[in-house]
Amino acid sequence: MNVCSWDWGAIATIFSPIIVAVYLYRKWHDQKQKEFVANEAKEILRIIDSLKLSYYSVTFQYRSYTNQILFDEEYSKTIFNKHNYLVEDFNNKICFLLNLIYDCDIYEKYEYYETHKTIFEVNHIFNDGTKELESLEKSSREIEKILEKMKFDLVKYAMYKNEIKYKSA
């Protein structure tokens, strides 16, 4: 069989749609991966906004409890339960994202958040005076700053601006 005698026009007609289809599938697949990460980042951004407000609310409830001004025990329990739910939801979502992608900046900020969250929770448990309340407020402010910095990094993923480095399976 002589290669020169093949009908290259017919061969090109047969294989060009296959090549185009494979190329388009790969582009579509890459876009879907980016879209998935962007949607996860958007969900985490919504949780961060709620979480920042939640830390403020918990701190306010402790200040109210310490001063016995505008303190309602049932409302306080609702605030604490919602806060715990948001913290757990945030941890689950951010850990899932960090298991998918490789981003040292977000990981470092998450570790820093975890440290300050632990300090906040210790102050939350042992709060019985103004010194602990000041420490609680300080850790709450630190957490809000960390979350704001993390939010800045996540916005880049949500807007498809960061190149995604996936962790190898």
Side-chain angles (χ1 to χ4, degrees), residues 10 13 17 20 29 36 81 88 114 125 128 146-147 161-162:
T13 306
V20 170
H29 196 269
F36 181 77
N81 289 338
E88 184 178 333
E114 281 293 314
I125 292 169
D128 63 352
I146 296 163
L147 290 174
K161 299 223 180 207
N162 264 10

Side-chain angles (χ1 to χ4, degrees), residues 45 48-49 52 147-155:
L45 288 170
I48 285 175
D49 287 337
K52 285 171 42 181
L147 290 174
E148 195 61 38
K149 289 176 184 176
M150 194 180 296
K151 191 175 166 182
F152 181 74
D153 290 338
L154 287 168
V155 164

Side-chain angles (χ1 to χ4, degrees), residues 84-123:
N84 290 335
Y85 172 77
L86 285 170
V87 167
E88 184 178 333
D89 196 25
F90 173 73
N91 285 337
N92 291 339
K93 297 273 186 190
I94 197 77
C95 286
F96 179 68
L97 183 69
L98 289 173
N99 283 327
L100 290 176
I101 64 171
Y102 180 75
D103 191 321
C104 290
D105 292 337
I106 293 175
Y107 182 76
E108 288 173 4
K109 288 174 180 117
Y110 176 68
E111 288 294 315
Y112 194 60
Y113 162 79
E114 281 293 314
T115 302
H116 282 281
K117 183 185 81 163
T118 304
I119 293 169
F120 184 86
E121 288 173 352
V122 166
N123 289 325

Side-chain angles (χ1 to χ4, degrees), residues 41-76:
K42 288 174 190 175
E43 182 64 26
I44 294 170
L45 288 170
R46 281 191 285 278
I47 294 170
I48 285 175
D49 287 337
S50 299
L51 194 58
K52 285 171 42 181
L53 181 62
S54 179
Y55 275 106
Y56 176 78
S57 297
V58 168
T59 305
F60 181 78
Q61 287 300 312
Y62 273 111
R63 180 168 291 288
S64 298
Y65 175 73
T66 304
N67 297 332
Q68 292 297 321
I69 302 172
L70 300 172
F71 182 73
D72 181 10
E73 191 170 340
E74 286 301 314
Y75 180 70
S76 182

